[in-house]
């Protein structure tokens, strides 16, 4: 086995999986979270686009929706697919920073939607990949093929750690597995993109920050998803010697598929002036409660202004879902914007689960009090109520 640098600690629920564990008694890494004046989060790719979506607004954020296109673009539409991609623009004084977080499943959808939304990749300051699932990094290669030549020379891709490069697989029946993609290091090198993996929190372009690895300390567990294969073949895959926080079992070292715990999935966050943290979970396999706790711990900032992204509660059993949502309602959060894999079971109004100043969700929850999150939506938060 490969020794870890620090002892690991996991919950009883997580102990059933060899890959879940975090350091006992180790000091929480801290960062000075940069403060921004405003933040705009535009959904580039998600699972639906509804032109009849509610036009409701809520205090503290401005929400813009794309209904359709006219003129030369009247026969084009925003494409929807399973996956997520978010364009995030923040300001501080006269300074603006733009980040593309995740890339959806295909480059065709990502590039189509960027063009229709008038978002210019040449203005991007950095890229972020939340974790190693195909529906979050799959569009990256096609995106770079089309836009890399116009982008900044020193382009960085921020990742939560080595785990993002592992081969993922899904069941194909009769004990067999089919590929679910692998982030390709050689593709990044050919595109002149520098990967910046870190298990610790890191500041992105002086405006945003990542949580680093997310300890599993709440009642949450990683719900069923893919399996992962550790190790490298022909230089591709994840290098087990680069993991600081994992004690590998013989089965893992032998390259056998094991339940995926997304050891290095991280969240991307902002410290919004006068409002608090904006926490973007992307897929939330580590648990939204764990993610919120981590963002607070690494910054020392308790107030959360908004929780945004995929919560991975669609496959949750009802009793588990009830416990998590009950705890989420006790959190001091102004706005909740579930996307992607959150699931209608987590946000449907009849359950009373989403009772915040804003609870946005896919089209089924459209109402005057529940504005929707969909392809093309632009959620803008700021100390002045306006975004970039």
């Amino acid at each position: 086995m490969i020794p870890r640098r620090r002892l690991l600690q996991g919950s009883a629920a997580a102990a059933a999986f060899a890959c879940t564990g975090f350091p006992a008694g180790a000091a929480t890494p801290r960062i000075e979270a940069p403060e921004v004046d405003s933040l705009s989060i535009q959904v580039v790719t998600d699972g639906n686009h509804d032109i009849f979506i509610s036009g409701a607004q809520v205090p503290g954020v401005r929400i813009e929706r794309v209904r359709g296109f006219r003129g030369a673009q009247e026969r084009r539409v925003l494409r929807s697919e399973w996956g997520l991609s978010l364009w995030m623009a923040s300001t501080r004084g006269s300074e603006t920073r733009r980040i593309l977080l995740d890339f959806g499943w295909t480059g065709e959808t990502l590039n189509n939607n960027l063009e229709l939304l008038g978002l210019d990749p040449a203005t991007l300051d950095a890229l972020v990949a939340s974790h190693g699932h195909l529906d979050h990094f799959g569009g990256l290669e096609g995106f770079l093929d089309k836009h890399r030549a116009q982008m900044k020379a020193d382009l960085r891709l921020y990742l939560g750690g080595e785990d993002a490069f592992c081969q993922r697989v899904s069941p194909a029946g009769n004990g067999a597995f089919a590929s679910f993609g692998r982030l390709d290091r050689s593709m990044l090198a050919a595109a002149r993109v520098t990967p910046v993996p870190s298990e610790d929190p890191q500041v992105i372009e002086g405006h945003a920050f990542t949580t680093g690895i997310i300890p599993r300390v709440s009642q949450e567990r990683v719900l069923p998803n893919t399996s992962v294969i550790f190790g490298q073949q022909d230089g591709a895959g994840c290098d087990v010697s680069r993991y600081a926080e994992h004690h590998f079992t013989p089965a893992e070292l032998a390259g056998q598929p094991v339940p995926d715990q997304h050891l290095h999935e991280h969240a991307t966050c902002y410290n919004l002036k006068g409002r608090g943290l904006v926490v973007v979970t992307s897929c939330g396999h580590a648990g939204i409660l764990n993610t919120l706790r981590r963002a607070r711990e690494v910054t020392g900032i308790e107030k959360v202004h908004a929780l945004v992204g995929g919560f991975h509660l669609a496959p949750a059993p009802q009793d588990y879902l009830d416990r998590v949502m009950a705890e989420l309602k006790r959190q001091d959060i102004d706005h909740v914007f579930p996307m992607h894999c959150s699931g209608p079971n987590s946000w449907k109004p009849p359950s009373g689960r989403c009772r915040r100043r804003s609870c946005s969700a896919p089209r089924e929850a459209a109402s005057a009090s529940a504005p929707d999150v969909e392809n093309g939506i632009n959620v803008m938060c700021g100390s002045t109520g306006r975004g970039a």
Side-chain angles (χ1 to χ4, degrees):
M1 292 185 179
I2 294 177
R4 49 206 163 165
R5 289 204 293 259
R6 295 189 289 271
L7 294 176
L8 304 182
Q9 179 185 40
S11 68
F17 299 101
C19 350
T20 300
F22 295 89
T28 300
R30 297 289 292 270
I31 61 169
E32 189 70 31
E35 192 176 68
V36 298
D37 296 327
S38 67
L39 173 64
S40 165
I41 302 176
Q42 184 139 23
V43 181
V44 182
T45 299
D46 200 348
N48 75 90
H49 179 223
D50 186 347
I51 64 172
F52 298 115
I53 211 91
S54 165
Q57 296 290 318
V58 292
V61 297
R62 187 170 85 243
I63 301 173
E64 295 181 351
R65 295 172 175 82
V66 175
R67 305 291 182 184
F69 303 93
R70 299 293 181 266
Q73 308 292 356
E74 68 178 356
R75 292 184 179 273
R76 296 184 62 186
V77 296
L78 292 173
R79 298 178 185 175
S80 302
E81 65 184 14
W82 185 253
L84 190 65
S85 179
L86 304 175
W87 179 286
M88 305 190 295
S90 55
T91 66
R92 183 171 58 234
S94 61
E95 180 181 79
T96 300
R97 292 288 182 268
R98 297 175 180 87
I99 294 170
L100 187 60
L101 169 61
D102 288 345
F103 315 95
W105 197 301
T106 67
E108 292 81 3
T109 293
L110 179 59
N111 291 333
N112 175 80
N113 291 2
L114 286 169
E115 181 180 348
L116 284 176
L117 295 171
L119 300 172
D120 183 4
T123 66
L124 285 168
D125 295 288
L127 309 175
V128 181
S130 62
H131 65 299
H133 260 174
L134 185 62
D135 54 322
H136 290 258
F137 74 79
L140 178 58
E141 184 171 6
F143 167 79
L144 292 172
D145 285 345
K146 182 172 183 177
H147 300 291
R148 182 64 184 97
Q150 289 75 46
M151 300 174 73
K152 64 186 288 187
D154 180 22
L155 184 61
R156 300 183 179 189
L157 173 67
Y158 292 85
L159 309 117
E162 182 68 13
D163 198 69
F165 292 103
C166 290
Q167 173 72 55
R168 261 73 190 188
V169 294
S170 56
N174 297 320
F177 290 89
S179 173
F180 193 64
R182 176 175 60 194
L183 182 57
D184 188 350
R185 241 185 272 265
S186 64
M187 179 272 293
L188 295 176
R192 297 174 291 107
V193 175
T194 303
V196 187
S198 176
E199 297 182 21
D200 289 331
Q202 53 183 337
V203 173
I204 302 175
E205 299 299 322
H207 277 219
F209 67 93
T210 64
T211 58
I213 59 174
I214 300 170
R216 318 299 161 83
V217 293
S218 75
Q219 60 186 303
E220 296 168 301
R221 64 182 186 273
V222 178
L223 296 171
N225 61 106
T226 56
S227 292
V228 60
I229 297 175
F230 293 105
Q232 291 186 306
Q233 292 183 341
D234 300 322
C238 49
D239 183 348
V240 295
S241 69
R242 296 182 180 179
Y243 284 71
E245 303 298 348
H246 184 57
H247 199 166
F248 288 92
T249 67
E252 291 168 338
L253 291 176
Q256 297 178 15
V258 295
D260 198 347
Q261 297 297 296
H262 299 283
L263 299 175
H264 294 164
E265 182 173 0
H266 60 172
T268 304
C269 309
Y270 290 85
N271 176 20
L272 191 59
K273 184 178 180 180
R275 300 295 181 88
L277 299 176
V278 176
V279 179
V280 185
T281 60
S282 294
C283 216
H285 290 100
I288 52 176
L289 302 176
N290 289 327
T291 304
L292 289 168
R293 180 193 295 262
R294 183 64 165 182
R296 287 165 164 157
E297 286 179 345
V298 301
T299 61
I301 299 170
E302 284 298 313
K303 177 59 182 172
V304 176
H305 181 55
L307 175 64
V308 182
F311 302 163
H312 204 69
L313 289 170
Q318 191 63 49
D319 61 338
Y320 175 91
L321 178 67
D322 290 343
R323 293 195 305 271
V324 170
M325 297 310 294
E327 180 60 32
L328 182 62
K329 287 174 65 177
R330 288 191 284 268
Q331 304 291 311
D332 182 19
I333 305 173
D334 296 333
H335 305 285
V336 178
F337 292 94
M339 303 175 183
H340 182 41
C341 56
S342 300
N345 51 335
S346 69
W347 51 254
K348 274 188 175 178
S351 69
R353 292 192 176 106
C354 276
R355 288 181 180 168
R356 293 288 170 196
R357 297 179 200 171
S358 167
C359 183
S360 300
R363 57 181 176 229
E364 291 86 347
S367 72
S369 61
D372 297 278
V373 170
E374 48 146 343
N375 280 352
I377 196 172
N378 195 7
V379 179
M380 292 179 272
C381 308
S383 55
T384 63
R386 297 185 63 82

